[in-house]
Amino acid sequence: MPDYSGCFAVRLDPTSLAEVARLKIECGVIDTRLLSSGDRVWVFSTTHNAAGDLKFVLQPIDPTANTLGEGIPYPNQMVFSTGGGGNLFFSDTDGDGAAVLLKGQTEFKKLPNIDDMRFVVSDGVWLNSSNRADKYDFSGELVTTIDLDGFLVAVANDTVFIERFDEGH
């Protein structure tokens, strides 16, 4: 009889939604999450090192072997991550800023000048500032600034959407 106790990553057939595979994963100290970078799925979990310190790790799921790959350090427990183009982005409103795990890399790279990854596009990040939107590349350099008469609400590559309240309409 299968073991259904604990935490699992369950892979489904996209057409039938039937269960294809079930991978037992550790239930984290805080929690366990699955994250997608667009080309792979990662397990975010918490663990303790030998000294008893809380550590955060990401492990890629190998869907062919139904196993977890080697874990890499994750910057913080506050997970606001999004994937795009095979990259995984992290931002933390508690002051750690933003970082990116570029496709094929094994370490997050801090992004200077960026503290929010809400609007990630294929070649950078859009940030909403006071009456403007700023686009930064993945090195943290400012690329574009546009003036806004509203609030940035969505971005799809270089198509920018704002929300605006017009009184009397």
Side-chain angles (χ1 to χ4, degrees):
M1 175 142 202
D3 176 8
Y4 290 108
S5 63
C7 295
F8 294 88
V10 178
R11 188 164 41 107
L12 304 177
D13 176 273
T15 305
S16 68
L17 299 182
E19 184 175 314
V20 174
R22 178 179 290 257
L23 176 62
K24 189 163 183 125
I25 56 179
E26 293 295 319
C27 294
V29 175
I30 296 172
D31 62 7
T32 302
R33 295 184 184 127
L34 298 178
L35 305 171
S36 171
S37 59
D39 67 337
R40 61 194 326 182
V41 175
W42 300 81
V43 175
F44 167 83
S45 60
T46 55
T47 185
H48 287 92
N49 64 13
D53 299 324
L54 192 58
K55 295 294 178 189
F56 312 99
V57 295
L58 281 177
Q59 291 177 277
I61 294 177
D62 178 343
T64 305
N66 203 40
T67 59
L68 293 175
E70 185 70 29
I72 61 169
Y74 195 76
N76 188 303
Q77 75 182 26
M78 303 305 292
V79 179
F80 176 78
S81 292
T82 186
N87 304 317
L88 190 66
F89 305 95
F90 161 86
S91 68
D92 174 26
T93 55
D94 289 344
D96 285 344
V100 61
L101 178 67
L102 297 171
K103 186 175 184 175
Q105 299 296 308
T106 58
E107 184 176 311
F108 276 87
K109 174 186 170 194
K110 295 290 277 179
L111 298 175
N113 307 317
I114 300 173
D115 61 2
D116 187 349
M117 300 297 269
R118 196 164 299 140
F119 303 108
V120 176
V121 292
S122 62
D123 61 348
V125 179
W126 284 92
L127 301 178
N128 199 39
S129 300
S130 178
N131 297 321
R132 70 173 208 259
D134 298 324
K135 182 180 179 186
Y136 291 86
D137 64 19
F138 293 136
S139 69
E141 294 296 318
L142 181 64
V143 177
T144 304
T145 295
I146 58 174
D147 293 326
L148 300 177
D149 59 348
F151 297 96
L152 189 65
V153 293
V155 178
N157 285 324
D158 289 326
T159 304
V160 177
F161 296 88
I162 66 169
E163 184 176 279
R164 179 175 49 208
F165 176 74
D166 293 325
E167 291 186 39
H169 295 271

